[in-house]
Structures are given as structure tokens and as C-alpha cells.
Amino acid sequence: MAMLEVEELTMRFGGLKALDGLSFAVEEGRIVGLIGPNGAGKTTVFNLISRFYQPVGGRISFQGKDLLRLKPHQVLQLGIARTFQNLGLFPYMTVLDNLLVGRHIHFRTSSWALALGLGQREERAFRAEAEQLLERLGLAPLKGAVVGFLPYGTQKFIELARALMARAKLLLLDEPVAGMNAAETQMMGQFIKRVRDEYGLTVLLVEHDMSLVMGICERVVVLDFGRKIAEGTPEEVQHNPAVIEAYLGEEVEVA
Amino acid sequence: MLAQLIVSGLASGSLYAMMAIGLILVYKTTHILNFGYGDMTMFSTFIAYMLLTWYKLPFAVAFLGAIACGFLLGIIVDRGFLKMAKNAPITSLFIATLGIGMILEAVAGWVWGYDTKPFPYIIKGPPVLLGSVVIRRHDLLVFAIAAAIALLLFAMFKFTDIGIAMRATAQNKRAARLMGINVGQIATWSWAIGVGLGALAGVLIAPIVFLDLTRMILVMIKAVAAAVLGGFTSLPGAIVGGLLLGVMENLTIYMPAALAPLKTTFVFLLIIIVLAIRPQGLLGESVGRRV
Amino acid sequence: MRRFILWSGALCLLALAPLFLRSYTLYILNMAGVYLVATLGLNLLTGYTGQLSIGHAGFLAIGAYAGALLPAKLAVPFWLSIPLAGIISGLAGFILLIPALRLTAIYLAIATLGFGAAVAEILPRWTAVTGGYQGMKVPKAAFLGLTLDSDVKLYYLALIIVILMILLARNIVGSKLGRAFVAIRDQERAAQALGISLTKYKASAFFISAFYTGIAGALYSFVVGYISPGEFDLAKSLLIFMMMALGGMGSIPGSVVGAVFLTFLPHWLSGFRGLQQFIYGAALVLVVIFAPYGIWGFVRRWTMPDKLQRLPRPLRAVVEFVRG
């Protein structure tokens, strides 16, 4: 059984059909790309998985559990973390505090105890872990910096690091390299692969940058007008006539 | 009896609506809740009072004097104070309007004194009978002016450059700026027109509630409530909200006698219930966001 | 070590203050303590969690009446009545949770405004319990046979409460609780995706905020010795809001500075009628213009490490200590 299964998912905004009977599956351990022209419904899929939207029809299950019965804040407890297209960082917090919010659900100390100043050991342990993670990213000197003042590309890495702090099994990355230059894109690609291997993660990513998708994805699902028009390895998808047609008029950059 | 209550409710409602529109104009273009509005209205109304009773000038002059004062106050507040605090967050600017209100209150106290003053009605004469409903002449004047204002504003937003630029600014500040609209100037216009409208409403309210330093603040609170009820982003919403609030207030008379003293509480409760059902207010734009 | 010395020094200074100060100044200091606790409460809700409230006088009133009535009518010991007042007020905070879960910014503000107005309207009519418009005399606070009947004694009570409440606020702000609050304020969606329940944490924020303000209310009743419904009006709600915003939103030292400053300001300004109000208003406007992020934001900006280089070392240590 696949880790994430999306079946016949349908979503409407007003009269507009954003998703139309979409089905696909993500196997454990894979890096899967979700691509398609603008407005194809990619982010809508993420927001449905995050439970921000309620679908008109269809099912989403994660490791056999029905996702649609959950509230947005319960999704991570199953093991699904995500990043956001326009950054979901907390701009006035320091880098370290942002990472610690990633650990939020793993704190065992109760709020009452925290208010009394207890639970310092747990806090210190998680803090040390966050610092280690930053060290590995080469971002250790920034741990006390306020996130909102950092360069966009750096913030993207920090957001991903925060998702790693959540100890999730599945990462949903919404345009992880949007606004990055070629060098940064390559770094991010390598980083995603590395953390997938080291942490044993599964990754589902939405991306416009074809060099990243073709470079790291093992499977690609192509959407157009809310429907799946192709699925396969990057090579297969690249030569699929339906895909080429959908992207006609948009420049397809293939690395 | 019911018709009577509704008609007089509509009259006070029109006044709430007028003031609410002044609040919304400012809010839509600047996102500042003008909590000094009550004091600004009070100050402008005192100008009319002074022109009328000290200098014995005709009503028309006093009326225009008050509106001009409101207009000017709006410009001074925006240009003189708020524009200087360019980087301040919205909550701080909200505090600044409170501070300006306090200054105006202090000055008004020195100039016009601290006691409550009766304010003359613009038109006198016996009330008009419409079937079994008695309508005060003053209320007729209020209806006429409110309708005229509504039409004028509608025309302004539809046909004049300033009106259209205001709408654009309210919808998307950055896009408006890119289109060559001087957003800062539009904010000043909104302040001028907004506070001017308050002054106009003030002169019409003062005969009913009398005039002193703080009474207009209570009226402002009702205007805020009306604006919120209507959605805070919509001018027609403010009119509906104002009228509804005026009528609701009057209808609280039907409440059981024991609960009658809790009138304000019930009005607020109603507003909160309306908001719980329609979080964006009656005619407001949806606040639902997409990621 | 240096921090420890400076902290103890500050504490000693505060503990010895009654030796140097007049009773009247102590009374104002006690009031500053009352508002400090209330401002902390509002700041946790508005500054940290982003939930606007201009009805906190309602909670102050609930705390004040609970603090006065529990010992007077139910013979609850005084040491218990203060925390109980906080809890009662905190539970009342849940009333605002329902609109808070549905409404944003300005719409929530009007709901809180309505809450404040409702409390102000109900209190004087509930004559049997509250004594109606005339208000009621608050029994003297007594503790282990010690009656707190002077401003000096009340000063120590206020000081203890203030220190406890500041420590509590520091713990909250520095823990996952405080981070969840800020997360909700800045990015509701991202907060949810990270497992933060809006219902749970908004409820916590409202409870904590109302709890603080309720404690402040109870302290108020003991400091003033006499309470009447007219004191808890919109003006008081706005006063607490101004203390928070002028001191610095989302900052504990900011709340301290804002509350102390605005409590003392009217007392510094004595003069003929209206002047006080004028200067108060002008001060508000000036602070907004020159210190848009509040007085504390201003202090922090002008005590950045690079600006301190020229100060002599001991002085620098003090400034750095104050800066936090």
C-alpha cells in the first residue's frame, strides 16, 4: 500500500472546478513531483491534505488512515509536515524559535508546568537539537537572527529545517526553490535528497522549476485544469504529448 | 406604535450611518480605526455652535463652518500627525487618533466650557403626521440630507477621479500606486471627507442629544457598531448597519421590563450573533483567505 | 554572576523604596502595579497572540468585584481571594473565545468593546451583590493576622504580585506556549500545519489574559479600598490598551514601562483643568511619532550594542542589564 493515497479528489471554488476526480499515490521513501501549469490545482492539493479546505468529493488516506476526518492541526500528528509557497515562517521570531515551533507537538511538558517555569530540560534538549540542525545547514551563526530580515533563499532553507524538526514522515514542499537562483536551486535539490535519505522521509513537492523536478524526483504527476494528465518517471513525462501540449506557450526548461 | 418606533429608529439610524461612513472611508484607505472621531465631531459641532450662538450667524453658515472645520481637521490629522509617524504600526496610529481626540477635548473645554449646552434645531414647527405616524421635522431633514449624502458619495465613487482612485486604493494599495495614484493624497482626501461627514452628522445629532465634550464619543461607538454590523468595508453596508442599529435600539422597548436597563448589552449581543453567523458583516467582503 | 548582582540590587531598591517615598507616591506606585499586571495580561493577548481587545476594563471589573466580594460575602480568606478573582475573570475570558474563533481584527475588537459595555451595564444593576451605582467599600486585606491598612503594606503586596506575574509571563513567553501565541499572531495557517490548535491556544490566551487582568482588578480593589461600576468604562479599557501599545506590544519590559509611565503622567501634570488632558494627548501623539514601536522599542533601538561602545564599562553593564 502506498503511503499517501489520493482518490477521486474533487474541489470547487464557487463555480470553478479546481480539482476534478484527481487520483494519485505516493510510495514510501520516494521523492514525487506534482507539476502543472499555473492554476492547475497543485497548491489546492496541498491545502486539502493540510485540511484547510474541505473537498467536494473523494478520499485522502495516509498510511491507511482517513485524513479527511482530521482538523488542520491534527495532520502533523499523523506525520505530515509542509512548507508554504510564500513562506510560512514567523517573521518576528528568531531562527531558533522558528525551529522550536516545529517541535511544538513533541513537547511533553504541560502548559501549566511551563507557566511555572518547569520543563527546562526538554526545552534545552530541543534547543540543542535545533542548533545541531542549523550547524549542519551552515546556518548556525544565524540562530539568534530575526527571520524576517534574512534573505529569501535562506528563509526557504529555514522553513525546510523547521519541517524537519517536526519529525514528520511525509514532507509536502510547496515550491521549495521559488525565487532562488540556479546555485541555490541546486543546493536545495541536494539538500532535499540528503534529508530524504538521512531521515528516511517521503517527499511530495510542487514546483515550477523543471531543473529541480527532473533532477531529484523519482516520479512525477502532471496536473492540468484539476485533472491528472500524466504520471511516470521524469523521462516518461517529459516526452508525453499531453504534457507538452499543456505546457505549450509556457517555456519548458529542461536541465 | 411599531411603525412609529421604526421611523424614529430609522432617523437616528441615518445619523449613525453617516458617521459610520466617515469611519469606513478612513479605514478602507488607511486601515486606521479613527477613535478620535467622536472628539473631532464634537469639535466641529462646537464650531457651528459658536457661529450660531456667539456670532448669531445664520444656520447655513454654521453648517458649512462645521463641515469646513471637519474637513480641515481631517487634513491636519493626516498631514500633520499620521504622515509623520510613517513607520508606525496600525495599532500605534489608532492610539495617535485617541491622543488627538484628547487634545481636541482639552482645547474645546478651554474655549467652550465644560457644561452641557442645548443646540438649536435647524427647522422648527409641529411634527408631520403620516397616517398614524408622527415624524419630527428634524427627522425629515435628516432623511433628506442622508439620502443626498448617499447619492453624492455614490456619484463620487462612480464618476470622479478622486472617488475612483479611492476605490482603487482601498482594493489594493500597491496596484493603485503602480497605476500612478498618489496613495498618500488619497488618504488625506479620505480623512478630510470622513471627518467632514462626522461634522455634518454632529450638527444634526447635537439638537437631539445636546452638546458637551464627551457625548459624541457615545455616538461614535454606535457608529463603530453600525460600521461593523455592515461589514466595515462596504458603504452600503454602513447604511444598512446604521439603519438596522437605530431600529434595533428602538425595538428594545419590547424587551421584558426587567431586562430593559440592559439595552446596550442586548444591542451588542445582537451584533455579535450577526457576526458569528456572517463574520464579514452583513455586506462586507468575504474575509476568507487562500494560502 | 553580574546579572545576579544587578537583579538583587534592583530588588533591594524596590524593597527599600517605602523608606524614601511619600505615602502618596507609594499609592501611585501601587496603582502602577495594578495597571502593570493588567497591561501584561492584555499584551499576552493582543501583543503576543494578535487578538485585539478594547474591553479589558470588563475583566478588571470582574476581578475587582470578585476580590472584594469573596472575602466580604463568602468569608473567603484574602490570600485565596486574589487568585480566585483571577480564575473567575479567566473563565469569563472564555466568553470572548467564541467570537475570537470566528472573527478577525476589527470585528473582534467590537465584540470585546461590547463585552466591556455589557459588564459596565450589568454591574450597577445587580444591586443585591454589587451595591449598585454607589459602589461598595472593600474590606481591608488581612494576612496571617496582619491587616494591610496602609499604602506601605499594600506596596509590598503589590510588589510581590507584580514580581510573580512578571515571572509567570516570562515563563509563558519563553516556552512553547508563548511561541504558539506568536505563531498564531503571525501565520495562522503555518501554525496550524505545525500542530498548533487555534481553539486551544486562543482559549489559553484569553484565559491567561483575563486571569492577569482579574488579578489586577482584585489588587485594584484592595489598593483603592472602594469600588464602583463607573470606574470600569471604555476609557479604562483604552487606558490599558494605550499602556500596552505605548510601552511596546509583544514585550514584557514594554508593559512595565508603559503602565508605569501612563500611571504617573497624569500625576506629574497638575495644573488648571484641561492642561492634563492636553499634555496626555500630546504625549500619546509624540510617542507614536517618535517611538512607533513603543517606548521599549525606542529604548532597545538606542541601546544597540554598537551604540554603547562609548559608555564606561559599569554603566554599559547596567544598560545591557536593563535592555535584557
Side-chain angles (χ1 to χ4, degrees):
Chain A
M1 196 181 56
M3 186 180 222
L4 179 78
E5 286 178 332
V6 173
E7 290 166 77
E8 294 295 317
L9 201 59
T10 301
M11 180 70 201
R12 254 190 228 104
F13 293 116
L16 198 79
K17 230 176 198 172
L19 288 180
D20 189 2
L22 174 72
S23 302
F24 69 91
V26 178
E27 298 288 337
E28 191 165 351
R30 291 271 172 80
I31 298 180
V32 178
L34 193 59
I35 66 168
N38 277 325
K42 297 164 304 223
T43 297
T44 306
V45 174
F46 273 22
N47 284 340
L48 283 164
I49 298 175
S50 293
R51 302 296 298 113
F52 294 144
Y53 300 155
Q54 183 65 26
V56 178
R59 284 169 300 282
I60 308 174
S61 61
F62 179 76
Q63 294 185 319
K65 291 189 197 82
D66 181 7
L67 212 58
L68 293 181
R69 296 168 67 168
L70 301 184
K71 297 208 168 71
H73 69 268
Q74 295 167 327
V75 174
L76 183 61
Q77 276 153 12
L78 277 196
I80 306 177
R82 72 170 286 180
T83 67
F84 290 82
Q85 202 172 342
N86 302 316
L87 288 171
L89 290 171
F90 310 114
Y92 297 104
M93 279 188 202
T94 63
V95 173
L96 200 63
D97 279 342
N98 262 282
L99 260 58
L100 284 170
V101 182
R103 206 23 87 76
H104 180 86
I105 62 167
H106 298 288
F107 276 88
R108 287 287 149 260
T109 318
S110 76
S111 296
W112 297 101
L114 288 172
L116 296 175
L118 303 172
Q120 288 303 316
R121 189 191 299 171
E122 189 175 46
E123 173 93 12
R124 269 199 302 273
F126 287 165
R127 204 166 275 264
E129 237 179 287
E131 282 173 15
Q132 268 170 18
L133 184 60
L134 286 174
E135 194 88 44
R136 289 177 51 195
L137 275 168
L139 295 175
L142 295 180
K143 68 176 182 185
V146 175
V147 155
F149 295 122
L150 298 174
Y152 191 75
T154 311
Q155 294 195 34
K156 283 272 185 193
F157 276 99
I158 293 166
E159 198 184 7
L160 186 56
R162 187 179 68 185
L164 292 178
M165 285 294 287
R167 292 178 177 154
K169 300 172 202 150
L170 172 66
L171 278 188
L172 307 177
L173 306 179
D174 199 347
E175 303 202 11
V177 297
M180 286 188 172
N181 61 31
E184 285 174 322
T185 300
Q186 213 190 352
M187 250 173 69
M188 180 58 99
Q190 280 167 359
F191 183 60
I192 293 171
K193 268 182 111 146
R194 210 178 85 200
V195 297
R196 189 267 312 257
D197 297 339
E198 283 176 25
Y199 289 77
L201 293 171
T202 308
V203 178
L204 175 63
L205 60 90
V206 162
E207 190 45 74
H208 277 293
D209 187 303
M210 287 304 147
S211 70
L212 182 85
V213 174
M214 297 303 156
I216 68 168
C217 291
E218 288 136 6
R219 277 194 88 73
V220 178
V221 177
V222 191
L223 297 189
D224 194 22
F225 292 112
R227 269 189 301 248
K228 183 167 79 177
I229 57 169
E231 185 175 351
T233 64
E235 290 73 30
E236 285 164 11
V237 164
Q238 231 172 316
H239 300 108
N240 187 316
V243 176
I244 296 170
E245 174 140 4
Y247 272 94
L248 215 64
E250 289 198 26
E251 203 178 332
V252 186
E253 302 166 47
V254 177
Chain B
M1 176 66 176
L2 182 65
Q4 180 70 61
L5 286 172
I6 291 177
V7 169
S8 64
L10 288 176
S12 42
S14 312
L15 292 167
Y16 299 154
M18 248 188 267
M19 283 197 73
I21 289 173
L23 275 174
I24 293 176
L25 274 180
V26 170
Y27 183 75
K28 279 191 80 161
T29 51
T30 62
H31 284 282
I32 299 168
L33 179 58
N34 175 15
F35 237 64
Y37 195 40
D39 291 314
M40 295 174 198
T41 300
M42 173 273 296
F43 196 87
S44 314
T45 311
F46 260 117
I47 293 283
Y49 173 82
M50 183 172 71
L51 294 175
L52 274 176
T53 55
W54 292 11
Y55 302 108
K56 308 282 182 226
L57 290 169
F59 241 114
V61 178
F63 216 70
L64 290 176
I67 296 171
C69 170
F71 203 81
L72 220 73
L73 263 179
I75 294 175
I76 294 170
V77 168
D78 184 58
R79 283 285 149 107
F81 296 104
L82 301 183
K83 286 265 153 55
M84 281 176 68
K86 228 179 288 163
N87 302 317
I90 297 294
T91 33
S92 296
L93 295 178
F94 162 75
I95 301 281
T97 67
L98 276 173
I100 293 165
M102 284 181 177
I103 295 174
L104 287 175
E105 222 173 286
V107 173
W110 291 330
V111 180
W112 296 296
Y114 297 90
D115 47 336
T116 303
K117 295 172 179 63
F119 195 94
Y121 279 98
I122 300 173
I123 40 171
K124 295 178 183 81
V128 181
L129 268 172
L130 197 82
S132 63
V133 179
V134 186
I135 310 175
R136 285 184 302 180
R137 277 169 196 263
H138 183 73
D139 289 350
L140 286 175
L141 180 73
V142 168
F143 286 135
I145 291 180
I149 293 290
L151 281 175
L152 259 172
L153 284 174
F154 177 76
M156 183 182 87
F157 284 115
K158 198 90 185 170
F159 303 117
T160 68
D161 289 349
I162 293 175
I164 292 165
M166 270 184 185
R167 262 166 54 203
T169 309
Q171 236 159 47
N172 188 333
K173 227 178 231 180
R174 201 190 300 166
R177 200 172 278 136
L178 287 174
M179 281 163 61
I181 291 170
N182 185 340
V183 173
Q185 203 175 335
I186 291 303
T188 312
W189 274 107
S190 312
W191 269 100
I193 297 172
V195 181
L197 263 176
L200 175 78
V203 176
L204 293 172
I205 295 165
I208 307 169
V209 303
F210 294 177
L211 186 56
D212 70 9
L213 292 182
T214 55
R215 210 153 293 196
M216 286 298 172
I217 295 176
L218 300 178
V219 182
M220 173 192 71
I221 299 288
K222 290 189 178 151
V224 176
V228 164
L229 195 56
F232 229 105
T233 50
S234 141
L235 296 188
I239 296 174
V240 174
L243 295 178
L244 206 63
L245 184 67
V247 173
M248 266 176 8
E249 255 186 346
N250 269 6
L251 293 186
T252 48
I253 221 173
Y254 286 116
M255 289 195 317
L259 296 176
L262 304 178
K263 197 166 141 183
T264 319
T265 308
F266 275 91
V267 171
F268 271 112
L269 202 64
L270 265 170
I271 290 171
I272 291 170
I273 290 170
V274 169
L275 286 177
I277 298 165
R278 270 186 74 80
Q280 69 274 36
L282 289 173
L283 297 185
E285 291 143 16
S286 169
V287 285
R289 289 159 299 166
R290 286 194 202 171
V291 173
Chain C
M1 187 61 202
R2 197 165 64 192
R3 284 179 65 80
F4 177 76
I5 294 171
L6 285 164
W7 271 117
S8 345
L11 263 180
C12 283
L13 207 66
L14 282 170
L16 296 177
L19 296 179
F20 318 113
L21 297 174
R22 286 180 305 153
S23 171
Y24 179 66
T25 313
L26 280 177
Y27 170 75
I28 301 168
L29 261 180
N30 293 346
M31 285 310 284
V34 168
Y35 286 122
L36 201 165
V37 175
T39 305
L40 276 177
L42 182 62
N43 216 338
L44 285 168
L45 183 72
T46 301
Y48 283 93
T49 321
Q51 310 295 303
L52 225 55
S53 166
I54 41 175
H56 257 51
F59 296 120
L60 198 67
I62 292 172
Y65 274 93
L69 287 168
L70 285 173
K73 303 235 161 166
L74 300 174
V76 173
F78 149 79
W79 59 268
L80 192 61
S81 74
I82 291 184
L84 268 181
I87 289 170
I88 291 170
S89 168
L91 293 176
F94 289 135
I95 295 171
L96 287 178
L97 179 66
I98 303 147
L101 288 174
R102 299 270 302 165
L103 308 177
T104 50
I106 202 151
Y107 301 99
L108 176 59
I110 197 76
T112 60
L113 185 78
F115 167 77
V119 172
E121 208 170 51
I122 291 167
L123 280 179
R125 266 100 189 179
W126 199 7
T127 323
V129 178
T130 64
Y133 282 108
Q134 296 86 6
M136 61 176 290
K137 212 164 150 24
V138 181
K140 289 262 179 294
F143 186 57
L144 294 175
L146 181 74
T147 308
L148 304 183
D149 50 4
S150 70
D151 288 322
V152 179
K153 288 173 188 163
L154 283 165
Y155 171 82
Y156 287 107
L157 173 71
L159 186 63
I160 290 167
I161 291 180
V162 162
I163 290 173
L164 285 178
M165 294 315 262
I166 288 179
L167 288 177
L168 188 66
R170 274 176 60 109
N171 289 340
I172 290 170
V173 167
S175 72
K176 74 159 185 180
L177 208 57
R179 287 191 293 264
F181 289 165
V182 177
I184 289 173
R185 180 192 73 191
D186 289 344
Q187 290 271 353
E188 234 175 51
R189 283 267 165 105
Q192 281 177 295
L194 290 165
I196 295 168
S197 154
L198 295 187
T199 312
K200 184 178 163 194
Y201 284 93
K202 280 188 184 177
S204 311
F206 272 99
F207 178 83
I208 293 171
S209 180
F211 173 81
Y212 265 80
T213 314
I215 298 265
L219 185 58
Y220 178 96
S221 73
F222 293 119
V223 168
V224 179
Y226 190 89
I227 48 175
S228 64
E231 296 157 44
F232 307 102
D233 54 358
L234 176 65
K236 197 134 278 171
S237 289
L238 290 174
L239 176 66
I240 302 172
F241 194 94
M242 288 190 278
M243 287 169 168
M244 173 201 62
L246 281 195
M249 305 230 314
S251 148
I252 293 172
S255 299
V256 177
V257 173
V260 174
F261 176 63
L262 283 192
T263 310
F264 272 88
L265 186 62
H267 296 280
W268 290 331
L269 307 170
S270 44
F272 63 101
R273 203 171 174 183
L275 184 66
Q276 183 176 317
Q277 198 175 21
F278 184 88
I279 295 180
Y280 200 102
L284 288 183
V285 175
L286 289 176
V287 170
V288 170
I289 290 176
F290 293 106
Y293 287 92
I295 300 170
W296 190 247
F298 185 83
V299 170
R300 277 184 74 83
R301 213 178 116 213
W302 289 101
T303 54
M304 294 280 240
D306 57 306
K307 292 201 165 70
L308 296 180
Q309 291 312 321
R310 274 186 294 161
L311 286 178
R313 259 187 63 108
L315 200 58
R316 203 159 78 207
V318 173
V319 174
E320 272 165 2
F321 166 72
V322 170
R323 188 175 185 273

